[in-house]
Amino acid sequence: MSASGGTKAIVAALAANLAIAVAKFVAFLFSGSSSMLAESVHSLADSGNQGLLLLGGKKAKREATPQHPFGYGRERYIYAFLVSIVLFSVGGMFAIYEGYEKIKHPHEIEAWYWPVGVLVFAIIAESFSFRTAITESNQTRGKLTWTQFVRRAKAPELPVVLLEDLGALVGLILALAGVGLALGTGNGVWDGIGTLCIGILLIVIAIVLAAETKSLLLGEAAGTEDVDKIQAAVVDGDTVTRVIHMRTLHLGPEELLVAAKIAVRAEESAAEVAEAINAAEKRIRAAVPIARVIYLEPDIYDERAAAAGTNPGKAPGGPASPEGTPTESGH
């Protein structure tokens, strides 16, 4: 995902949510609907979330320092994780509390045209925001399903906005259903049930977001396609004969660390090995431009030693051989 694409989706969601939050709160003041109050808090929380995503994107652009030599790319992951916490606490828990109170102490909805009109307006505005997020996501999603895109995306902004907008649309439908049933039956309990359902929905989305951003915070490897490109780029068939083992790590959505132990021919001089490593680094950056931090360690590969599990270039943490020694797990 390009930074510009993510920013466009975030700004569209922020503008929609601010307008919707004001409209919902006005509707709550005139109608007394708990669904409208929960939805206004939901939209306000979403607006704060988009602000957090924009702040995280700005902070992630800071230059590397001696204390943080790999830069601040993961700031985007941290702020995306904060979004899930805000969505859970401010949005979800408040809606559940308000729904419980309304079920316990129901009252009729006044000035029904306010909540109904605002909900219709909100559905239209959220649909525009959701459409923008879908359009921006399709530029990077490729052949992935939507579930795969949310799970595998290294840039957290678009999956967050997508899930927030989806939750907002479903929440609006639940609120409209709750208000409609309350008006049709004259029983305000339905308004509380709709509010309760909104709270549960927000908590489920918050848990999904927290799980996905937690994985990014822990550090994820490059995707399979990028790993294959890197491995193909390293080997030149001349000085570099194979990749013994390799590790990749996302330092941020658009910055990748590559560390590999590579096999070189025993007869090559130090100058020739150094030249081959420099050439391999250029090929890697050409194949995968986000691979900006690259460490290549040369080694002499011995097939018999590797089979016996004693090759010095074996991958750490590899599977154990019959003798209990880690075996070669590289390609």
Side-chain angles (χ1 to χ4, degrees):
M1 182 200 75
S2 66
S4 60
T7 300
K8 183 177 179 180
I10 295 170
V11 170
L14 177 59
N17 281 317
L18 284 174
I20 291 169
V22 173
K24 287 175 179 175
F25 191 71
V26 171
F28 160 71
L29 292 178
F30 280 95
S31 66
S33 168
S34 66
S35 291
M36 295 310 303
L37 179 58
E39 275 296 308
S40 64
V41 173
H42 174 193
S43 294
L44 190 61
D46 281 352
S47 299
N49 288 341
Q50 273 100 53
L52 286 172
L53 292 177
L54 290 172
L55 180 61
K58 182 178 180 180
K59 284 182 171 292
K61 294 178 181 178
R62 289 180 293 171
E63 295 293 330
T65 64
Q67 188 176 6
H68 297 91
F70 293 116
Y72 293 85
R74 288 193 182 182
E75 289 266 18
R76 289 165 68 178
Y77 300 153
I78 293 172
Y79 280 86
F81 188 76
L82 290 176
V83 164
S84 66
I85 296 174
V86 171
L87 194 64
F88 177 88
S89 58
V90 177
M93 296 304 293
F94 178 83
I96 286 181
Y97 170 78
E98 187 64 25
Y100 170 78
E101 287 295 316
K102 188 60 181 286
I103 292 173
K104 190 175 179 181
H105 307 289
H107 62 79
E108 292 186 8
I109 295 175
E110 302 172 1
W112 62 269
Y113 43 85
W114 274 101
V116 172
V118 167
L119 286 172
V120 171
F121 162 74
I123 288 174
I124 294 173
E126 284 290 358
S127 297
F128 169 77
S129 174
F130 192 41
R131 180 177 175 275
T132 302
I134 289 175
T135 301
E136 296 300 322
S137 298
N138 280 334
Q139 296 179 8
T140 57
R141 185 167 64 94
K143 297 181 180 179
L144 297 176
T145 65
W146 286 109
T147 301
Q148 289 172 334
F149 175 71
V150 170
R151 292 184 61 91
R152 299 181 187 179
K154 305 305 180 185
E157 291 86 356
L158 280 178
V160 168
V161 173
L162 276 170
L163 289 177
E164 276 192 347
D165 286 350
L166 177 62
L169 279 172
V170 176
L172 288 168
I173 293 171
L174 290 172
L176 189 60
V179 170
L181 287 170
L183 292 172
T185 62
N187 188 349
V189 168
W190 287 108
D191 188 27
I193 292 174
T195 307
L196 197 64
C197 291
I198 292 169
I200 294 172
L201 170 70
L202 294 180
I203 287 176
V204 169
I205 292 176
I207 291 173
V208 172
L209 285 177
E212 294 306 317
T213 50
K214 173 191 173 186
S215 178
L216 292 170
L217 279 170
L218 289 174
E220 288 190 356
T224 303
E225 184 178 346
D226 283 345
V227 169
D228 292 340
K229 288 180 181 179
I230 293 170
Q231 289 178 335
V234 170
V235 179
D236 61 6
D238 185 14
T239 302
V240 182
T241 59
R242 68 186 296 154
V243 176
I244 299 174
H245 67 77
M246 183 174 74
R247 299 289 183 268
T248 61
L249 178 69
H250 269 273
L251 301 174
E254 288 141 14
E255 187 170 15
L256 185 67
L257 180 149
V258 178
K261 186 181 286 286
I262 58 176
V264 297
R265 299 186 187 281
E267 63 272 16
E268 300 289 348
S269 67
E272 290 171 328
V273 170
E275 183 179 349
I277 289 176
N278 291 334
E281 289 179 353
K282 291 180 180 179
R283 292 194 300 270
I284 291 172
R285 291 191 174 97
V288 183
I290 65 171
R292 300 176 185 173
V293 182
I294 303 173
Y295 298 104
L296 301 180
E297 179 186 355
D299 198 358
I300 306 301
Y301 183 77
D302 187 321
E303 289 189 4
R304 289 178 298 177
T310 58
N311 188 74
K314 62 181 178 295
S321 69
E323 291 78 17
T325 306
T327 59
E328 173 62 43
S329 60
H331 296 280

